[in-house]
Amino acid sequence: MTSEIKALAMPKWGLAMTEGAVTAWLVEEGATLREGDEILEIETTKITNVYESPAAGTLRRRVVAAGETVPVGALLGVVADASVPDTEIDAFVARFQEEFSVEAAASAEAAGPEPRFVDAGGQRLRYLVMGDGKGEEGVAPLVLIHGFGGDLNNWQFNQPMLAEDRPVYALDLPGHGGSAKHGVVGGVPELARAVRDFLNALGIQRAHLGGHSMGGAVALHLAAEEPARVASVTLVCSAGLGHDINIDYIEGFIAADRRKEMKSVLETLFADASLVSRDMVEELLKYKRLDGVASALRAIADASFADGRQSHVLVDRLEGVGAPVQAVWGAADRIIPAAHARTVPAERRHVLDGAGHMVHMEKAGEFNRLMSDFMSMA
């Protein structure tokens, strides 16, 4: 009967995560769970997120109490059919705890995916790939494109889950993350060419695209320019669908060089401002101090948001995109109005309550299901 017992283990969200704290259980022992039900909240040094049940069944045991911090891979709880005897649950927990160790978790972390670099069109780009190969025949890979000031880690709650069905690439655009900072010029069209060069460098002939904020406009521009190479486009709180933009956020991000300033700017991104952690603030300040970042961000902003408005509105090119397009938005987005989603047909737009501009982080489970289902039908 042990095959019917499922372990709930501490997930690994992001490259730097080594442990997490259980802040609250959302269900009691004995609760009947469906796959995808939210069962507990986990806090990392970067952000707090909800853990969803990977299996249906009964929550038979809560192993880690609220307030405890445990390593990645540690046993959090146990899901099993109600018919499984308690003695088997006890034996499963004991065996898991005996086999698990911090050293084993560290080894698993070391064996995990690491960012890679590729020369694409004369620029050195950093990317992270999860999932095997370039995809089975007929299964196109997914390429995730972050927004202004972001990097590949913005997809930490999405990439591992989406990679269960296909290879998923998250890249750093020029001027961002670990990619080249010098010589960055232009806005959306130039960044779209960099993504095209990335696809060429890796030999990816056709891909699904997921773009957040400015990355959405980049994805849409590329899909309009080279429709044969794009299987679908998911626009996440996307630029490119209207002129409106919170230019105070853009300018505030560029100007912020102190912790208090950066924290205030980042809080604008979330419906729940408490999600902005000290580590998140420090990491972005560290990035902004890198040589070449200031000039790169300034160049991209000047080309993309001249006069406080979006310069590259692509609504009139939607019909030229042969691939299906969907939009996912946070209802509380304070950077780009959720009303911009109305440019996409009603059956392919999703505005999620309780989320802001970072809807793919704040509502990761729902977002992942929407994106996975959409790609499977494309």
Side-chain angles (χ1 to χ4, degrees):
M1 303 257 323
T2 54
S3 61
E4 299 176 82
I5 302 174
K6 303 293 184 182
L8 306 177
M10 178 63 74
K12 183 175 177 61
W13 292 324
L15 299 173
M17 181 177 172
T18 58
E19 63 182 18
V22 174
T23 57
W25 280 91
L26 306 178
V27 292
E28 299 294 328
E29 287 186 355
T32 300
L33 303 177
R34 297 166 300 179
E35 185 176 346
D37 280 352
E38 297 181 350
I39 54 178
L40 71 159
E41 293 180 348
I42 297 173
E43 181 181 14
T44 73
T45 57
K46 298 280 195 319
I47 197 171
T48 298
N49 195 23
V50 175
Y51 181 97
E52 297 186 345
S53 179
T58 301
L59 180 61
R60 298 293 301 275
R61 196 66 49 84
R62 300 195 316 193
V63 177
V64 176
E68 286 188 64
T69 298
V70 296
V72 168
L75 187 66
L76 300 172
V78 175
V79 174
D81 188 83
S83 63
V84 177
D86 284 342
T87 53
E88 291 198 20
I89 300 295
D90 293 338
F92 179 88
V93 171
R95 184 166 58 253
F96 192 106
Q97 302 286 45
E98 182 179 348
E99 294 175 354
F100 180 81
S101 65
V102 175
E103 290 76 19
S107 297
E109 179 190 356
E114 292 290 336
R116 306 176 187 178
F117 293 87
V118 64
D119 180 36
Q123 298 182 95
R124 188 171 188 255
L125 301 181
R126 185 180 74 155
Y127 70 98
L128 180 70
V129 59
M130 295 184 182
D132 296 329
K134 292 188 176 67
E136 299 176 11
E137 185 175 351
V139 179
L142 167 64
V143 177
L144 297 170
I145 309 166
H146 62 77
F148 183 83
D151 67 9
L152 57 81
N153 287 302
N154 290 168
W155 304 101
Q156 61 186 296
F157 299 147
N158 318 115
Q159 190 177 8
M161 296 72 175
L162 296 172
E164 292 176 1
D165 299 324
R166 68 191 69 246
V168 180
Y169 297 79
L171 79 153
D172 290 338
L173 291 170
H176 296 77
S179 290
K181 311 296 190 302
H182 295 284
V184 176
V185 295
V188 168
E190 290 76 17
L191 294 172
R193 282 197 288 272
V195 176
R196 179 205 60 194
D197 292 340
F198 172 79
L199 298 178
N200 291 341
L202 294 184
I204 299 172
Q205 298 304 314
R206 189 167 181 266
H208 297 276
L209 302 179
H212 173 242
S213 195
M214 183 184 70
V218 170
L220 195 56
H221 183 91
L222 180 59
E225 291 289 311
E226 301 197 33
R229 302 196 65 174
V230 178
S232 76
V233 182
T234 295
L235 303 173
V236 188
C237 299
S238 181
L241 300 179
H243 287 291
D244 299 324
I245 185 77
N246 183 347
I247 196 62
D248 289 340
Y249 168 77
I250 301 295
E251 294 299 333
F253 184 89
I254 293 173
D257 59 3
R258 296 181 182 276
R259 188 179 302 117
K260 184 177 180 180
E261 295 170 347
M262 180 59 79
K263 184 174 187 293
S264 177
V265 168
L266 295 179
E267 286 175 347
T268 314
L269 296 172
F270 297 90
D272 181 0
S274 68
L275 294 177
V276 178
S277 67
R278 183 185 181 92
D279 276 25
M280 185 188 300
V281 172
E282 293 291 351
E283 193 170 275
L284 279 167
L285 288 174
K286 183 178 179 182
Y287 151 72
K288 288 195 61 199
R289 295 184 187 113
L290 295 174
D291 186 36
V293 167
S295 59
L297 291 177
R298 184 74 268 164
I300 293 170
D302 288 347
S304 302
F305 314 115
D307 301 319
R309 292 160 58 82
Q310 293 189 49
S311 305
H312 302 283
V313 177
L314 302 160
V315 175
D316 61 348
R317 302 195 69 183
L318 279 171
E319 291 186 1
V321 176
V325 178
Q326 76 165 341
V328 184
W329 233 279
D333 192 339
R334 290 183 282 169
I335 309 302
I336 301 175
H340 286 198
R342 294 175 190 158
T343 56
V344 174
E347 67 274 14
R348 289 191 267 116
R349 65 172 181 257
H350 312 274
V351 180
L352 308 185
D353 292 331
H357 194 60
M358 306 300 286
V359 62
H360 56 302
M361 299 182 79
E362 291 187 274
K363 295 292 180 180
E366 190 170 357
F367 173 84
N368 293 340
R369 284 189 291 274
L370 288 170
M371 192 159 193
S372 182
D373 291 346
F374 184 66
M375 289 188 294
S376 69
M377 294 185 295

